[in-house]
Amino acid sequence: MSSEIRTLAQNARAWPFEEARKLLARIEKKPEVLDKGYILFETGYGPSGLPHIGTFGEVSRTTMVRHAFNVLTDGKIPSKLLCFSDDMDGMRKVPDNVPNPELLRANLGKPLTRVPDPFGKFESFGHHNNAMLRSFLDHFGFEYEFASATDYYAEGKLDDMLLRMLARYDEVMAIMLPTLRSERQETYAPFLPVHPKTGVVMQVPIEGRDVARGLIRWTDPETKETFETPVTGGGCKAQWKPDWALRWAALGVDYEMSGKDHIDNVKTSSKICRVLGGLPPDGFNYELFLDDKGQKISKSKGNGLTIEEWLTYASPESLSLFMYAQPKTAKRLYFDVIPRQVDDYFDHLAAYPAQDPAKQLENPVYHIHSGQPPVVKLPITFGLLLNLAGVVASEDKSVLWGFIARYAPGATPETLPVLDDMVGHAIAYFRDYEKPHRKFRLPTEVEAAALSELATWLESGPADQSAEALQTEVFEIGKRHAFPSLRDWFKACYEVLFGEAQGPRLGSFIALFGVANSARLIRKGLAGELLQPAAAA
């Protein structure tokens, strides 16, 4: 890594570098954070359900900061990314999307790693979801270490800090109680004992503490039996805010980001972390995703996009771009954001080789690909492919490739596998999202005159005109007719020919679809032959 790149990174405005510089300041202020031998990045995962698009966002963004830190330090300060699964959490409810729900219902309250796997494949439901997480992360090529809360508690990795929390119990309670409702304050305790007979994670008041022996005393509210339980060795789990702080302090976590809805929780856990003698991690609170109606996306509601849906219609890199862009701004995460993300990704990728090093560090693809973006320049945009899929009305990739090969000689699925994937994505996206929403209309008198002139010009001109020449003539025809603005002319073309309010650069589309084919398409639009059956009636 050149000293020039490192110097440029020190002033780069890209947010991963801004975050990485915070870590450098942390080391300068508290050199002892390196006593463990590395900088520790952490992301959390609640394995009560399968990994989702938010999981991808948190790991991908943290990976970007980690790479930026590596650039700033020339790789001389080791780092780790720990993906921590809170799999000792008691299962609170049965998910809607699993088989054998009665099996789970009979084990409510138990740690997820003690709940039988309803899929019958793993040791427990927690182990199943952990395996799905690891497969998920491996699929995207993330570099990480996996950590299980069950293992960490059972193996004693958190014991010292658990004993310290027991010794400083009153200080922890003084932080927590003001954050709780009055009725919750009466029963709250930072320790959740695991019932020695039922295996349930108990939410009960702590009636006594023996710091010297590392025990808590509590009573089963149903049987009235009293127990003494060690806080170490997996006998107890910490409540989630103290647990977060416990983990930070015990492991020396240096960086962890979280959603905006956790701002107050971060403050609370940071206070507890300091009580335990730890230094809270750096990080930031990212904004939440919104659905198509502007409402916060919720796993329980199932609104918004799943990661499986995104990957049906676009590449992982386009999703990474979505996660990279403005992480502190609330963004709609729905089908209609996909095409722009795909085309923006390839625009950034195409621009990268010609940029000077300073600009490259600001380019999203530098961070998406950890400083080594591939060299790819496509002859066609995703937006064009969507419109081609619509007018061709075929789900056969080879049909679309017939048009592409004529438009870009030498382009084949073998020479441009990335484009071949994009063709498949475009067919799926058009079929599932655009086709059901298309609304064709007949042109107005002014629009019909302009479209008729365009069709006539295409029918009488050469078949091999360039996209630029075609675009110029489309502009000129629009100028010759009484449109309030050229935007209204193009909007009319899109609505009449594609059934949508927006569309591709028309010159490029005509060149791709073919001059004669485009003329025929316009004639169909003028005759009303593109209207949906209901609209035509």
Side-chain angles (χ1 to χ4, degrees):
M1 191 177 301
S2 72
S3 59
E4 178 194 8
I5 296 298
R6 193 165 60 253
T7 300
L8 291 171
Q10 291 169 358
N11 298 296
R13 293 173 297 173
W15 68 262
F17 284 120
E18 291 178 350
E19 293 300 299
R21 287 193 289 268
K22 284 162 50 175
L23 280 169
L24 282 178
R26 176 186 181 90
I27 294 170
E28 292 171 2
K29 187 177 180 180
K30 298 280 187 179
E32 61 270 23
V33 302
L34 288 178
D35 288 349
K36 61 183 178 292
Y38 50 86
I39 287 292
L40 182 59
F41 295 82
E42 183 182 62
T43 63
Y45 169 60
S48 57
L50 299 177
H52 54 89
I53 208 159
T55 310
F56 176 89
E58 196 163 305
V59 178
S60 64
R61 286 167 171 166
T62 304
T63 296
M64 292 173 190
V65 178
R66 185 184 176 199
H67 173 258
F69 176 79
N70 187 54
V71 172
L72 283 171
T73 60
D74 201 19
K76 293 178 180 177
I77 299 179
S79 66
K80 292 182 181 181
L81 171 56
L82 190 68
C83 294
F84 199 97
S85 172
D86 191 17
D87 56 18
M88 197 174 165
D89 195 21
M91 189 175 69
R92 297 176 179 85
K93 64 179 182 179
V94 177
D96 297 329
N97 58 346
V98 298
N100 304 313
E102 65 285 350
L103 185 65
L104 299 184
R105 199 168 293 114
N107 288 275
L108 284 172
K110 292 182 180 179
L112 289 158
T113 45
R114 295 192 187 181
V115 175
D117 178 17
F119 298 91
K121 297 180 179 179
F122 292 88
E123 179 182 341
S124 72
F125 189 40
H127 285 86
H128 173 273
N129 288 344
N130 285 342
M132 296 303 101
L133 172 68
R134 299 176 78 166
S135 175
F136 174 88
L137 298 177
D138 293 343
H139 172 75
F140 294 109
F142 290 119
E143 181 185 312
Y144 68 97
E145 291 184 14
F146 174 77
S148 158
T150 298
D151 293 344
Y152 270 50
Y153 273 94
E155 294 168 5
K157 294 181 179 180
L158 305 175
D159 280 359
D160 290 345
M161 208 55 66
L162 285 161
L163 292 171
R164 188 175 298 179
M165 184 180 287
L166 183 62
R168 300 177 186 179
Y169 185 94
D170 291 333
E171 294 174 76
V172 173
M173 288 291 281
I175 294 169
M176 284 302 308
L177 291 179
T179 70
L180 305 172
R181 298 187 303 272
S182 56
E183 62 270 21
R184 184 74 179 100
Q185 290 178 353
E186 296 175 6
T187 60
Y188 182 84
F191 293 100
L192 302 174
V194 179
H195 200 297
K197 294 183 178 179
T198 66
V200 169
V201 179
M202 303 296 292
Q203 300 222 24
V204 291
I206 302 302
E207 298 166 357
R209 311 187 302 277
D210 187 330
V211 175
R213 297 167 60 208
L215 303 174
I216 57 171
R217 188 173 68 255
W218 57 280
T219 297
D220 184 327
E222 293 187 6
T223 67
K224 307 305 179 186
E225 187 176 3
T226 297
F227 298 92
E228 283 190 333
T229 299
V231 299
T232 56
C236 288
K237 181 191 182 300
Q239 287 270 15
W240 84 267
K241 293 175 193 176
D243 181 80
W244 213 6
L246 178 88
R247 197 189 311 161
W248 291 345
L251 305 180
V253 176
D254 295 294
Y255 190 90
E256 181 163 1
M257 59 179 68
S258 56
K260 185 181 178 181
D261 52 344
H262 285 308
I263 288 176
D264 290 338
N265 301 328
V266 169
K267 292 177 181 177
T268 299
S269 294
S270 294
K271 291 177 183 177
I272 297 173
C273 182
R274 292 188 182 96
V275 163
L276 297 177
L279 177 65
D282 284 305
F284 71 85
N285 295 103
Y286 52 80
E287 261 289 2
L288 305 177
F289 300 130
L290 307 176
D291 65 12
D292 58 323
K293 298 179 178 62
Q295 301 297 311
K296 186 179 82 168
I297 284 179
S298 164
K299 282 190 292 181
S300 60
K301 290 181 182 177
N303 56 342
L305 274 177
T306 66
I307 196 160
E308 292 80 11
E309 287 171 327
W310 186 293
L311 296 181
T312 298
Y313 310 119
S315 65
E317 292 81 8
S318 64
L319 180 57
S320 293
L321 176 62
F322 183 83
M323 296 301 173
Y324 173 86
Q326 300 177 305
K328 295 186 180 182
T329 300
K331 295 183 292 187
R332 293 173 69 254
L333 178 56
Y334 206 63
F335 290 98
D336 55 4
V337 307
I338 291 177
R340 174 47 54 196
Q341 296 301 312
V342 174
D343 283 337
D344 282 353
Y345 167 74
F346 284 108
D347 285 346
H348 289 306
L349 203 60
Y352 184 85
Q355 291 175 328
D356 62 57
K359 284 290 186 184
Q360 287 182 334
L361 296 188
E362 305 287 345
N363 191 320
V365 298
Y366 177 86
H367 302 278
I368 291 169
H369 294 284
S370 297
Q372 296 181 321
V375 178
V376 178
K377 192 169 183 179
L378 300 182
I380 187 172
T381 66
F382 190 65
L384 271 175
L385 282 177
L386 286 175
N387 288 106
L388 180 63
V391 298
V392 171
S394 173
E395 295 187 18
D396 185 344
K397 290 169 68 173
S398 65
V399 174
L400 272 69
W401 267 107
F403 291 94
I404 296 169
R406 189 192 67 241
Y407 176 73
T412 68
E414 292 72 31
T415 60
L416 282 175
V418 173
L419 181 55
D420 190 49
D421 288 341
M422 200 161 78
V423 170
H425 290 147
I427 290 172
Y429 185 89
F430 177 80
R431 178 195 64 223
D432 297 343
Y433 182 71
E434 286 201 339
K435 186 177 180 179
H437 294 91
R438 291 204 296 181
K439 294 182 180 179
F440 291 93
R441 66 172 177 83
L442 287 170
T444 65
E445 185 176 340
V446 171
E447 294 165 354
L451 283 166
S452 180
E453 182 180 344
L454 177 57
T456 299
W457 182 80
L458 292 172
E459 290 163 346
S460 61
D464 58 350
Q465 298 182 72
S466 70
E468 288 303 320
L470 292 164
Q471 183 73 7
T472 298
E473 187 59 28
V474 172
F475 264 105
E476 293 303 318
I477 289 174
K479 291 177 184 178
R480 290 196 287 270
H481 292 265
F483 291 101
S485 71
L486 282 174
R487 179 176 296 179
D488 295 286
W489 162 228
F490 286 106
K491 185 170 184 287
C493 291
Y494 300 144
E495 291 178 348
V496 173
L497 303 178
F498 305 126
E500 297 175 355
Q502 298 179 356
R505 195 168 185 269
L506 285 174
S508 298
F509 175 78
I510 295 170
L512 172 65
F513 190 46
V515 168
N517 288 332
S518 298
R520 283 192 288 271
L521 177 67
I522 295 170
R523 295 296 183 196
K524 287 183 178 180
L526 288 167
E529 295 175 17
L530 300 178
L531 294 176
Q532 305 289 358

